[in-house]
Amino acid sequence: MRLSHAVAALIIAWFADFGYIQAVTLDVKEGNTTCIKAELSATFSITYNTSSSTQTVQVPLPDSTAVDAGSSSCGTGDSPPWLVAVFGSGQALGLSFSTNGSLYSVANLTLQYNLSDASIFPGANSSDVVTMVLPSVGIWATINTTYRCMSPSTFEVDEAAVTFSDMRLEAYMTGNDLSPTESVCMADQASTTAPPTTAGTTTTAAPTPSPPGTPERGTYSVNNLNGTVCLLAQMGLQLNVSYFSLSQNKTIQELVNLTPNLTRSSGSCEASSASLVLTQEGSSTLNFTFTLNTTSNKYHLSGITLLANFPDATAPFSASNTSLDYQRSTLGRSYMCNAEQTLVVAKTFSLNTFRLQVQPFEVTTNQFATAEECQMDQDQMLIPIIVGAALAGLVLIVLIAYLIGRRRSHAGYQTI
């Protein structure tokens, strides 16, 4: 399935390069004020069942696509901004947005398609209207800038894939036109040729930053609607990121400690999932997602997303992985790991944790339940036990040898 979507993405990219996929312009307004504007091309690769096999179709976003005024909105206090575009007979593409005050991002990508539309899905053995949702797609930018990504970007959603290209997008707008200041996606940055150097110019290498040391341990919590704590965490966090440096004109690796007294915690608690969002205003947003298996009563850290704004970076940094399997523990217990752990999230981002204890479910009296310790802590506890046992064994061997030797010496002086 992934292979077919990958091939489809290559075909879509080829058509986009030759201009066969047309861009559409979509606006969400409140009165006469525009709050969301998008100029983009999109193609959907959708796999569906027929009576005898499965088929995959490529559906371009037509130039007749229109904004659904009833479903789209600029957002209110409790509901996020939405851009919902409709086309054909029951097909729709939706983008919801979120912000931390300094950055905005696509919080959810929603695709709806109508299998009863025989012009698109000939021979489909179902007439259902299918809705698919993909969270944290990695589309984000600094507030008051336009997100720009000319390169094709493909996002897989179950049995479908959405490929965007020639995309210029802005949410939380202050004017009716896209901002001339752009936040450029990583794919466009990678395809940009480095500026030529001028002969005779001496370049001084930027000094290598010193390691930040062990991060301070912070206490973070999430409350239910009734005000009680439903998620509790204590940990020191260190971001290990790679990004392209403007001053050094190369990709660098940097360690960044999260500062607890500058970090605000938020999130949500559901029956089988919980999230912890740590925000440093104007700097970074780190999102943890925990998932509970209600059959085995085991939970684990299933997703980490980082959105960050580094002063020397060419664009905002983003990395996300929603298929992780870290910090596994039992419902009703907390997970503890005092040792330093490295959680690999993506090629450009890993997270180092220190003195960690977390409980995302069934927190009572605002305290951690009995902890299940990580293997590294258990191994560190075993080392002194093994060393102590070895020393005790050595002492015992020496003592036995001494007693045997002494007994033999006494036997040599016995009267014959």
Side-chain angles (χ1 to χ4, degrees), residues 26 28 65-69 71-73 82-86 92-95:
L26 306 168
V28 177
T65 301
V67 172
D68 183 353
S71 302
S72 302
S73 75
W82 269 96
L83 166 60
V84 180
V86 292
L93 172 67
L95 302 174

Side-chain angles (χ1 to χ4, degrees), residues 164-180:
F164 293 111
S165 60
D166 298 329
M167 174 183 270
R168 298 179 74 239
L169 167 74
E170 186 177 359
Y172 303 96
M173 296 174 63
T174 56
N176 289 328
D177 294 323
L178 293 172
S179 170

